[in-house]
C-alpha cells in the first residue's frame, strides 16, 4: 500500500544578524539581480499541496510490469539524455530522437533510433515523448516554442518532462500540454551520468496518474526506483530540495578536504574515515579520491548544480523558508563559474575555496 506523507508548514524563521554576517563574509556581494524571486505574486496562497501520496516501484501493481508497446520520443541528448535514450533503444523500444545539435543523434540512429527535425514532429509521431533539457528556458522553448512539442500533442498522447526545472515552469508546460488534450507528467531524476548509463536513476514524478502508470515500464528501464508525488509541481520541488542538499554537502565536503590538508592530515585518509562513519554518503566515496587529486571528471556539470541551487532558493523564498547554508553555497558555486569551471563536475567547487584561501593568505 502506498504511504501518505503529510508535510507540515514550518514556522518562518528570520536570519539572525550573526548568520547574516557569516553569509556576508563567505559571499561578500550578492547582486540584486541574483536574489531569488518568489514564483507567485500572492505569497498568502500555498505554492504546493502540503499533502501528497508517494508510490515506489515496489508498491505499484503488476500491470506496471507490462511492456510498453507504443512509440517513444526523446528530446535532448546531453550528458543525461543520451544514455537514457540508449537504454530505451537497447530494451527494444521504438524510439524517435531530436536534439538541437543533430550530430548528437547520430550514435542513437546507428543503434536503431529514428530522427525527426523538430520537437513538434517527434511528438506528432510518438505516443509518449520524454524531454531532458538543461534549464527552465530550454524546457519551455522545446515544449512551447516555435515547432515545439506542444504543437504535435493531442488526445491519447503523453509528455514526460524529466528536466530539472522550477515549479512555475513545470506548471506552465503542463497547462500547454493539457490545452491540447494530452497528458503530462513531470519526472525529474535524482542521479547523474553513471546512474543514467546503468539505468539506476530515481524518478520523482507528479501529474497525470494514468500517464505515470502507462510509462512505468519505461521508467523501470531507466531507473531503479520511482515515486509518484501527486499534483504537478511536487516533483520539481522535491528535485530542487534534493539538489539543494547535495550542493551544500559538496561545499562542506570541499572545506573539510582543504582543512585536513592545511593542518597536516592526509585528505585521502579523511575520505576513507568519512566513508566508514555515520555521515557516509556514496557521493563522498565517489568524488573524494578525484577531488584530492584535483581531478573533476564531469558527471554533473557545476553550472547545473548552481542553477538548481538558484531555483531552490527561489522556491524557499516563495514560502518564506530561511536557507542561509544553501545561499552561501550558491555564492561559492557562482565564484567557481567565474573561474571558468562551469562545465567541470560540480565537485570542482573546491577550486573556488582554494582560490579564496590564496587570496586571504
Amino acid at each position: 500500500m502506498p504511504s501518505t506523507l503529510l508535510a507540515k508548514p514550518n514556522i518562518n524563521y528570520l536570519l539572525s544578524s550573526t548568520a547574516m554576517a557569516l553569509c556576508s563574509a563567505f559571499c561578500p556581494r550578492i547582486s540584486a539581480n541574483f536574489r531569488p524571486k518568489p514564483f507567485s505574486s500572492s505569497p498568502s496562497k500555498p505554492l504546493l499541496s502540503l499533502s501528497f501520496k508517494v508510490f515506489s516501484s515496489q508498491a505499484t501493481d503488476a500491470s506496471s510490469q507490462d511492456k510498453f508497446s507504443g512509440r517513444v520520443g526523446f528530446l535532448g541528448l546531453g550528458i543525461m539524455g543520451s544514455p537514457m535514450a540508449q537504454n530505451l533503444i537497447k530494451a527494444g523500444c521504438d524510439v524517435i530522437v531530436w536534439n538541437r545539435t543533430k550530430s548528437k543523434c547520430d550514435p542513437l540512429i546507428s543503434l536503431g533510433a529514428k530522427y525527426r527535425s523538430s520537437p513538434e514532429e517527434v511528438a506528432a509521431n510518438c505516443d509518449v515523448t520524454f524531454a531532458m533539457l538543461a534549464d527552465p528556458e530550454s524546457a519551455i522553448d522545446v515544449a512551447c516554442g516555435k515547432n515545439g512539442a506542444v504543437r504535435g500533442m493531442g488526445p491519447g498522447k503523453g509528455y514526460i518532462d524529466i528536466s530539472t526545472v522550477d515549479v512555475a515552469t513545470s506548471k506552465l508546460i503542463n497547462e500547454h500540454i493539457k490545452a491540447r488534450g494530452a497528458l503530462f507528467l513531470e519526472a525529474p531524476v535524482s542521479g547523474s551520468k553513471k546512474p543514467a548509463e546503468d539505468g539506476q536513476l530515481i524518478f520523482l514524478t507528479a501529474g497525470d496518474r494514468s500517464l505515470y502508470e502507462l510509462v512505468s515500464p519505461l521508467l523501470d528501464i531507466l531507473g531503479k526506483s520511482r515515486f509518484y508525488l501527486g499534483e504537478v509541481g511536487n516533483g520539481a520541488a522535491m528535485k530542487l530540495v534534493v539538489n539543494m542538499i547535495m550542493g551544500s554537502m559538496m561545499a562542506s565536503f570541499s572545506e573539510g578536504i582543504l582543512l585536513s590538508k592545511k593542518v597536516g592530515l592526509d585528505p585521502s585518509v579523511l575520505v576513507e574515515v568519512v566513508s566508514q562513519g555515520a555521515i557516509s554518503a556514496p557521493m563522498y566515496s565517489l568524488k573524494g579520491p578525484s577531488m584530492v587529486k584535483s581531478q573533476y571528471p564531469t558527471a554533473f556539470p557545476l553550472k547545473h548544480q548552481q542553477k538548481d541551487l538558484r531555483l531552490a532558493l527561489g522556491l524557499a523564498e516563495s514560502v518564506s523558508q530561511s536557507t542561509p547554508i544553501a545561499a552561501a553555497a550558491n555564492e561559492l558555486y557562482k565564484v567557481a563559474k567565474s573561474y571558468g569551471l562551469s562545465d567541470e563536475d560540480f565537485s570542482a567547487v573546491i577550486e573556488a575555496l582554494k582560490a579564496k584561501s590564496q587570496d586571504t593568505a
Side-chain angles (χ1 to χ4, degrees):
M1 292 294 291
S3 59
T4 300
L5 300 184
L6 297 178
K8 298 181 180 179
N10 292 324
I11 298 173
N12 297 329
Y13 292 98
L14 297 176
L15 281 175
S16 68
S17 59
T18 302
M20 289 292 286
L22 286 172
C23 285
S24 176
F26 190 94
C27 328
R29 290 180 300 222
I30 303 177
S31 168
N33 294 331
F34 288 100
R35 289 175 187 157
K37 299 177 181 178
F39 293 109
S40 170
S41 59
S42 177
S44 61
K45 297 180 180 179
L47 179 67
L48 302 173
S49 168
L50 294 177
S51 174
F52 50 88
K53 293 183 178 180
V54 179
F55 300 88
S56 72
S57 55
Q58 290 77 20
T60 52
D61 57 36
S63 63
S64 66
Q65 304 304 315
D66 295 339
K67 183 177 180 180
F68 181 84
S69 58
R71 182 173 288 172
V72 181
F74 209 103
L75 310 174
L77 301 173
I79 195 169
M80 296 290 288
S82 182
M84 294 174 74
Q86 284 188 39
N87 285 337
L88 291 174
I89 296 167
K90 291 176 181 179
C93 297
D94 185 3
V95 179
I96 298 179
V97 298
W98 172 88
N99 192 73
R100 283 195 177 98
T101 305
K102 184 183 179 297
S103 60
K104 290 189 176 181
C105 298
D106 293 340
L108 299 170
I109 294 172
S110 68
L111 292 175
K114 302 177 183 66
Y115 169 78
R116 293 292 183 274
S117 60
S118 71
E120 177 182 0
E121 290 185 31
V122 172
N125 286 277
C126 293
D127 298 286
V128 298
T129 300
F130 286 82
M132 173 58 96
L133 290 314
D135 50 47
E137 295 75 19
S138 298
I140 292 173
D141 184 54
V142 169
C144 310
K146 182 180 180 181
N147 301 317
V150 167
R151 294 176 177 271
M153 301 301 294
K157 292 180 180 291
Y159 191 79
I160 305 97
D161 194 341
I162 51 181
S163 316
T164 299
V165 299
D166 56 275
V167 173
T169 294
S170 194
K171 289 186 174 182
L172 176 65
I173 296 173
N174 173 58
E175 290 173 2
H176 282 270
I177 296 294
K178 290 295 185 63
R180 302 287 293 190
L183 301 177
F184 177 79
L185 188 73
E186 61 174 353
V189 298
S190 182
S192 56
K193 181 181 178 182
K194 189 65 164 61
E197 293 172 345
D198 296 343
Q200 293 293 300
L201 296 167
I202 301 169
F203 285 90
L204 309 172
T205 75
D208 286 304
R209 180 70 194 273
S210 59
L211 181 56
Y212 168 75
E213 293 174 346
L214 177 68
V215 301
S216 288
L218 301 178
L219 302 183
D220 290 343
I221 291 170
L222 301 172
K224 64 180 181 180
S225 61
R226 47 186 164 84
F227 295 84
Y228 180 77
L229 304 172
E231 67 181 41
V232 172
N234 286 337
M238 182 69 82
K239 177 59 189 297
L240 292 180
V241 171
V242 169
N243 277 21
M244 180 188 76
I245 295 170
M246 181 174 72
S248 300
M249 286 172 62
M250 179 56 74
S252 181
F253 186 49
S254 297
E255 289 181 330
I257 289 176
L258 294 181
L259 177 58
S260 68
K261 186 174 182 179
K262 198 98 172 191
V263 299
L265 299 174
D266 184 343
S268 297
V269 176
L270 171 69
V271 173
E272 186 175 352
V273 170
V274 168
S275 70
Q276 295 186 29
I279 62 171
S280 174
M283 180 179 74
Y284 297 150
S285 299
L286 180 66
K287 305 290 186 181
S290 295
M291 293 171 69
V292 171
K293 300 176 183 177
S294 299
Q295 298 174 355
Y296 317 106
T298 305
F300 181 48
L302 185 143
K303 61 184 177 184
H304 292 167
Q305 175 63 77
Q306 191 276 316
K307 177 261 297 183
D308 293 349
L309 279 166
R310 172 174 59 84
L311 296 178
L313 291 173
L315 176 65
E317 183 169 304
S318 71
V319 293
S320 301
Q321 173 61 52
S322 174
T323 51
I325 295 172
N330 181 52
E331 293 303 311
L332 185 62
Y333 283 95
K334 286 164 61 177
V335 170
K337 284 175 61 179
S338 73
Y339 291 151
L341 299 169
S342 291
D343 293 321
E344 298 291 330
D345 188 74
F346 79 114
S347 56
V349 71
I350 193 174
E351 293 295 328
L353 284 168
K354 290 179 182 178
K356 188 174 180 65
S357 296
Q358 292 170 358
D359 290 342
T360 57

